Amino acid sequence: MSRVGVLVLGPAGVGKTTFCNSLVNYMQQNSRRCNLINLDPAAEPRDYEFTIDIKDLISLDDCMDEMNLGPNGGLIYCFEYLLENLDWLDEEIGDYNDEFFIIDLPGQIELYNHYNLIPRLVNYLKYQLNINLCVSYLLESSFVIDESKFFSGCLSAMSAMILLELPHINILSKVDLVKNEYSKKKLKKFLNPDPLILNDDLNRTTNPKYHNLNNRISNLVDDFGMVQFLPLEAGNPDSVRVILSYIDDITQWSEGQEPKEPKDQIEIDDL
């Protein structure tokens, strides 16, 4: 049985840590072992303690104080420090064999869009530690029901898909917080979107000078043809179960399980 893991990515505030805790809760309720790995040097544990915490190596607060850096510069420094000390991560993960890892990452897209930091980490986890990985990329549902923001979110998700070169699941988080009936109805068309139809809606509400840009972006998303979303209600076990089933399929988790002995049959006479 091999080790598998899911990297939880997305902009700040979309509910990545909440999603991680929901996965841990669901898996524990169903007698599955998992490990919550925190690679956000500014995060604190919530419902569940971290199995592995980057703050045991370096924290953002200490980095900002000692290096006189701002939040973004400090975060980049923390990841550069982690990549220079991957033997620490190897030692921490090395004790866990045949395990499922839930890896919570920071929301700053600079770490994979502008710097080759998370891609380098991914390659180390894949090829040095032999962890079969996938990405879950979260966007907030109340954010994307605006067509212009939807295309912005699509581009960030596509960037992660291309740069990390991993199997990828896109998730719309906080679906349960969309209360307005009109917004709920509108949200459905963003789960399996038609970019060209959404672009027509966008052009009706934006200045004509942006229409050419809108058309090019929507055609890019349409040509890419892989941007779809799963809805997430973090407090709903059925919603978490569906997303976990996608993760299991992608990482081939079930295929790596040891076969179990069938339970002893109860003799009819004993009933």
Side-chain angles (χ1 to χ4, degrees), residues 8-264:
V8 182
L9 281 171
V14 296
K16 296 186 297 297
T17 299
T18 300
F19 174 55
C20 289
N21 281 270
S22 297
L23 282 176
V24 173
N25 179 65
Y26 181 85
M27 294 176 76
Q28 289 188 354
Q29 292 291 329
N30 288 274
S31 302
R32 280 183 57 175
R33 294 184 303 178
C34 63
N35 299 282
L36 181 56
I37 300 178
N38 174 49
L39 294 183
D40 183 349
E44 296 293 335
R46 293 187 184 176
D47 300 334
Y48 298 94
E49 291 295 322
F50 301 132
T51 307
I52 299 170
D53 188 358
I54 191 177
K55 293 196 300 297
D56 293 336
L57 176 69
I58 186 171
S59 74
L60 181 59
D61 289 340
D62 291 342
C63 176
M64 291 170 61
D65 290 340
E66 295 179 14
M67 306 299 295
N68 196 26
L69 294 169
N72 286 349
L75 186 61
I76 291 170
Y77 182 91
C78 288
F79 260 78
E80 289 176 339
Y81 188 82
L82 171 63
L83 292 171
E84 292 172 358
N85 295 273
L86 286 172
D87 55 332
W88 170 83
L89 187 60
D90 193 353
E91 183 177 346
E92 292 289 319
I93 293 181
D95 293 335
Y96 297 96
N97 294 315
D98 302 333
E99 296 283 352
F100 189 101
F101 299 106
I102 301 167
I103 305 172
D104 193 6
L105 289 160
Q108 284 76 359
I109 65 173
E110 294 94 331
L111 296 173
Y112 55 89
N113 253 358
H114 303 91
Y115 298 91
N116 191 31
L117 297 175
I118 289 183
R120 286 168 58 193
L121 175 64
V122 164
N123 287 336
Y124 184 81
L125 294 171
K126 282 173 58 179
Y127 300 115
Q128 298 299 318
L129 300 186
N130 297 315
I131 301 176
N132 191 18
L133 295 170
C134 76
V135 171
S136 61
Y137 194 92
L138 276 68
L139 292 173
E140 188 173 340
S141 55
S142 59
F143 172 85
V144 303
I145 56 177
D146 180 301
E147 282 85 0
S148 61
K149 294 178 180 178
F150 169 78
F151 282 113
S152 174
C154 281
L155 292 178
S156 66
M158 287 167 56
S159 177
M161 295 171 77
I162 293 169
L163 293 173
L164 299 182
E165 298 181 331
L166 287 175
H168 200 99
I169 298 171
N170 293 313
I171 297 171
L172 289 186
S173 64
K174 304 182 183 180
V175 171
D176 50 321
L177 299 184
V178 178
K179 303 295 185 182
N180 181 280
E181 288 300 323
Y182 172 76
S183 297
K184 287 182 178 179
K185 184 177 180 180
K186 188 176 181 182
L187 182 62
K188 293 180 180 179
K189 69 179 181 181
F190 292 96
L191 296 176
N192 189 9
D194 185 326
L196 301 183
I197 293 177
L198 293 177
N199 179 62
D200 291 339
D201 295 338
L202 179 61
N203 283 342
R204 282 194 288 269
T205 59
T206 56
N207 191 306
K209 69 179 181 180
Y210 297 118
H211 288 182
N212 187 44
L213 176 62
N214 295 341
N215 296 339
R216 289 178 180 273
I217 291 175
S218 63
N219 282 323
L220 175 64
V221 175
D222 186 56
D223 290 343
F224 201 73
M226 295 179 64
V227 180
Q228 298 178 351
F229 293 90
L230 296 174
L232 169 64
E233 297 180 39
N236 183 344
D238 288 336
S239 177
V240 177
R241 174 185 57 80
V242 169
I243 292 176
L244 182 59
S245 70
Y246 277 83
I247 294 172
D248 287 342
D249 287 343
I250 289 175
T251 58
Q252 299 180 327
W253 176 82
S254 59
E255 295 182 14
Q257 300 306 296
E258 295 289 347
K260 296 180 180 179
E261 293 292 333
K263 294 182 180 180
D264 294 334

